[in-house]
Amino acid sequence: MAASVYAVLALAVTALGATIALSFAPHKATPVSVSESLIKPSRIIRTLKRVSTEKHVLEKSSCGRVWVTVHSPEIRLAHNQRLLDAVELNWDFNACSSVPRQIGLFDDRPTSWNNVLALFLVTSVEGHIITNISLGEGSLPGGWEAGVGGRGPHCLWPWVGAGDMQEIQSYNCLKIQPTWMEDNAAQINNLRIGDLAIAGTHNAGAWRFDTEISTLSRDSFVLCQDRSIWAQLVHGIRYFDFRIAYYDYYQHEDDRYWLNHNLIRVRPLVPLLREIRKFLDTTKEVVFLDAHHFPVGFYEASGAPLRHVHGGLLRIIQREFGPHLALARDFSTGAGTRGPTLQTLINADKRLLFSYVDNAIVNENNWLWPILPHLWANTNSPTHLFTYLDNAISNSPSPTARSPLFSAMAQTTPTVLDILFLRGSLRENADDVNRNVTTRLATMWRSQANIVSTDFFLGNDVIDLSILISVERASRL
Ligand SMILES: *[C@@H]1O[C@H](CO)[C@@H](O)[C@H](O)[C@H]1NC(C)=O
Ligand SMILES: *[C@@H]1O[C@H](CO)[C@@H](O)[C@H](O)[C@H]1NC(C)=O
């Protein structure tokens, strides 16, 4: 039965053109009085620093928040035109005594309504607007597109501003957070890894096909992301959920390991590991990599692990990450605890934690981090997803958990019938939940969430919110 369901699934996906496997913290603007700054040289230096910080303020609000996201589904316009990656403007003015009257999209820091590209009236305390303007390529700013760029957050082109007719009171941009752990080190380094809020991606490697016969970048039921692993890191994602498969018909061992979405082969593994390696080599960030599912080639039909296949993967991981690997045996702090602090990992300069879903293999290799619990609702209903996650997050971590980390899997899962009858798509499913994920993280999940993993993460604000929440938690230590 199971096999025929898989066959049907594989066929359904073939029909869609996919490849089948053969088998911020908000910086506060500090007002500075110039006359005061002329008194002493040391004061001048400090003042200059403050002024440059102020120039660097990317997010400001007098109350509430505004933020930019990207619409994950395509929009059909008149005359058969399609709009991809529409920019969305979001607001939450619950904390405001009076709600700003208008919100607009800008292509630079909003200073005057005269420069607005699209203007909308605000008619609710919280909400969003989908503009009909596309993000476009979304190239990484600050020098990060080609390689390692400047530290600190940087803005892509879209900015949002909100306020009344005279004044823009709140603004923000769509940004990258390539060095957020380092930027906030003084505040967050005493947090244990289990007490951080961390943005993650579900099925992180499924962002564009790279197989012998496909380089497709948009499909309905396989691709969960649309940014490369490098771009995900640069945006601020620090947790990757990897689904690794093994195909023994390739001659070279390296070529046999793939990232899959279930039975579908998406990309070879080793180049992705090298993107992470390059990031670790050139930043001081900590990255959590989770081998969470082995859909093809790692087990006998009986369910026994194929030791040489697991062993080959572990050798590749050790070879590729070498000096960056934080060995669990050196850093873990025992069941039911929250793990080492960021400071401990940074002092040792061991910044890649690799967790492994198979306990038998973990028991034989004590450098692996144990199974990282996934709070997974396995439902295609947004309502059930949130009921499940609200409860699961409030009951996590389990007092006996071996892993200091846990990940809320904040996406719905289509059923085989959804796929067969082409009901919806992963992009539409992500759109149905991503805004609510942002709201939940800001409210009900704020005190307890650890990793929150999503699909099409540009559709939510989990990265900036996680940074803000980590800083907030650290301030209470
Ligand atoms: C885009 O939206 C603006 C209003 O913001 C509207 O005037 C314009 O006609 C729209 N363009 C398209 C192509 O739909
Ligand atoms: C998601 O948020 C919207 C707007 O607040 C709300 O109407 C909807 O019921 C929420 N959905 C779920 C599943 O909680």
Side-chain angles (χ1 to χ4, degrees):
M1 175 60 197
S4 66
V5 168
Y6 282 135
V8 164
L9 185 65
L11 279 173
V13 178
T14 320
L16 300 172
T19 318
I20 296 300
L22 298 163
S23 109
F24 143 33
H27 301 266
K28 291 210 176 59
T30 317
V32 175
S33 135
V34 173
S35 58
E36 197 190 21
S37 73
L38 294 175
I39 302 169
K40 284 190 220 150
S42 65
R43 166 83 60 151
I44 293 175
I45 291 166
R46 246 183 295 145
T47 305
L48 286 174
K49 269 195 194 146
R50 283 190 197 158
V51 170
S52 73
T53 315
E54 181 151 13
K55 249 175 110 184
H56 213 75
V57 174
L58 307 183
E59 173 172 356
K60 182 188 133 183
S61 66
S62 43
C63 62
R65 280 190 80 219
V66 290
W67 65 97
V68 179
T69 52
V70 180
H71 194 63
S72 48
E74 71 175 44
I75 296 171
R76 293 193 179 279
L77 304 172
H79 313 296
N80 272 340
Q81 281 186 314
R82 299 180 319 156
L83 172 61
L84 302 182
D85 303 325
V87 175
E88 299 181 346
L89 312 179
N90 306 267
W91 64 91
D92 175 355
F93 295 130
N94 279 300
C96 303
S97 53
S98 73
V99 173
R101 296 191 49 187
Q102 55 189 27
I103 189 163
L105 173 64
F106 298 78
D107 64 3
D108 204 346
R109 183 190 307 274
T111 48
S112 151
W113 290 114
N114 295 336
N115 305 329
V116 76
L117 301 176
L119 186 64
F120 308 90
L121 290 179
V122 171
T123 55
S124 57
V125 177
E126 58 181 86
H128 71 279
I129 292 276
I130 304 167
T131 71
N132 58 18
I133 299 175
S134 170
L135 170 68
E137 292 199 357
S139 307
L140 301 171
W144 289 91
E145 181 71 28
V148 178
R151 283 171 42 183
H154 300 271
C155 294
L156 283 78
W157 74 261
W159 289 74
V160 55
D164 55 29
M165 303 305 169
Q166 289 78 39
E167 202 194 350
I168 295 169
Q169 288 131 347
S170 312
Y171 60 71
N172 198 350
C173 64
L174 180 63
K175 54 180 107 56
I176 57 169
Q177 295 275 11
T179 55
W180 67 263
M181 288 178 168
E182 187 185 0
D183 303 340
N184 295 285
Q187 291 103 304
I188 66 174
N189 273 2
N190 287 328
L191 280 179
R192 296 184 178 277
I193 56 176
D195 289 325
L196 282 166
I198 301 168
T201 43
H202 162 246
N203 239 315
W207 70 276
R208 176 189 290 165
F209 285 96
D210 180 13
T211 70
E212 295 83 348
I213 56 169
S214 176
T215 55
L216 199 69
S217 61
R218 288 180 89 95
D219 83 327
S220 295
F221 289 107
V222 177
L223 300 179
C224 299
Q225 307 296 338
D226 56 6
R227 291 293 181 274
S228 69
I229 295 293
W230 174 259
Q232 292 180 37
L233 284 163
V234 169
H235 271 279
I237 299 289
R238 293 291 175 269
Y239 166 83
F240 298 105
D241 158 39
F242 271 15
R243 315 293 168 102
I244 305 175
Y246 179 81
Y247 300 94
D248 61 8
Y249 48 77
Y250 290 95
Q251 190 185 352
H252 297 293
E253 188 179 43
D254 276 12
D255 301 337
R256 295 179 182 162
Y257 292 89
W258 285 74
L259 286 201
N260 274 34
H261 187 165
N262 296 329
L263 300 182
I264 313 297
R265 219 155 38 103
V266 183
R267 308 183 66 84
L269 173 68
V270 172
L272 300 188
L273 300 180
R274 294 195 175 147
E275 292 177 41
I276 300 174
R277 172 66 191 257
K278 179 171 146 193
F279 189 77
L280 291 166
D281 282 347
T282 47
T283 66
K284 295 194 165 61
E285 303 296 290
V286 176
V287 177
F288 304 91
L289 182 57
D290 185 15
H292 202 81
H293 188 200
F294 299 113
V296 179
F298 277 73
Y299 291 90
E300 312 259 20
S302 68
L306 288 162
R307 290 236 151 32
H308 70 282
V309 178
H310 288 272
L313 173 61
L314 298 190
R315 278 194 307 277
I316 290 174
I317 293 287
Q318 285 171 313
R319 183 191 74 203
E320 295 299 327
F321 292 127
H324 295 300
L325 276 175
L327 311 182
R329 63 169 174 264
D330 295 340
F331 293 100
S332 71
T333 54
T337 68
R338 313 316 313 273
T341 63
L342 276 182
Q343 191 70 58
T344 303
L345 295 168
I346 286 160
N347 288 350
D349 200 18
K350 302 291 179 197
R351 293 177 289 108
L352 190 281
L353 283 73
F354 183 58
S355 56
Y356 210 76
V357 75
D358 188 309
N359 267 333
I361 305 293
V362 173
N363 290 340
E364 293 159 13
N365 298 274
N366 61 9
W367 60 276
L368 294 172
W369 291 78
I371 297 185
L372 193 156
H374 277 195
L375 312 181
W376 182 47
N378 190 14
T379 175
N380 63 357
S381 148
T383 309
H384 291 160
L385 174 73
F386 288 107
T387 311
Y388 171 89
L389 285 179
D390 292 348
N391 183 49
I393 291 173
S394 69
N395 289 310
S396 292
S398 141
T400 55
R402 292 180 63 203
S403 169
L405 305 162
F406 61 95
S407 175
M409 305 310 288
Q411 66 291 135
T412 53
T413 308
T415 64
V416 168
L417 291 182
D418 292 336
I419 296 173
L420 266 185
F421 294 109
L422 302 181
R423 286 194 296 234
S425 71
L426 293 178
R427 283 180 176 275
E428 285 163 42
N429 294 354
D431 185 58
D432 286 343
V433 302
N434 265 336
R435 292 181 200 90
N436 299 65
V437 171
T438 306
T439 310
R440 283 300 213 276
L441 183 57
T443 55
M444 289 174 77
W445 305 349
R446 191 172 190 114
S447 63
Q448 253 165 263
N450 177 212
I451 299 164
V452 174
S453 299
T454 61
D455 283 349
F456 300 106
F457 66 90
L458 292 179
N460 61 53
D461 197 33
V462 169
I463 294 172
D464 278 3
L465 264 180
S466 296
I467 298 171
L468 195 143
I469 290 171
S470 290
V471 170
E472 179 181 282
R473 288 179 186 171
S475 73
R476 297 210 195 94
L477 283 180

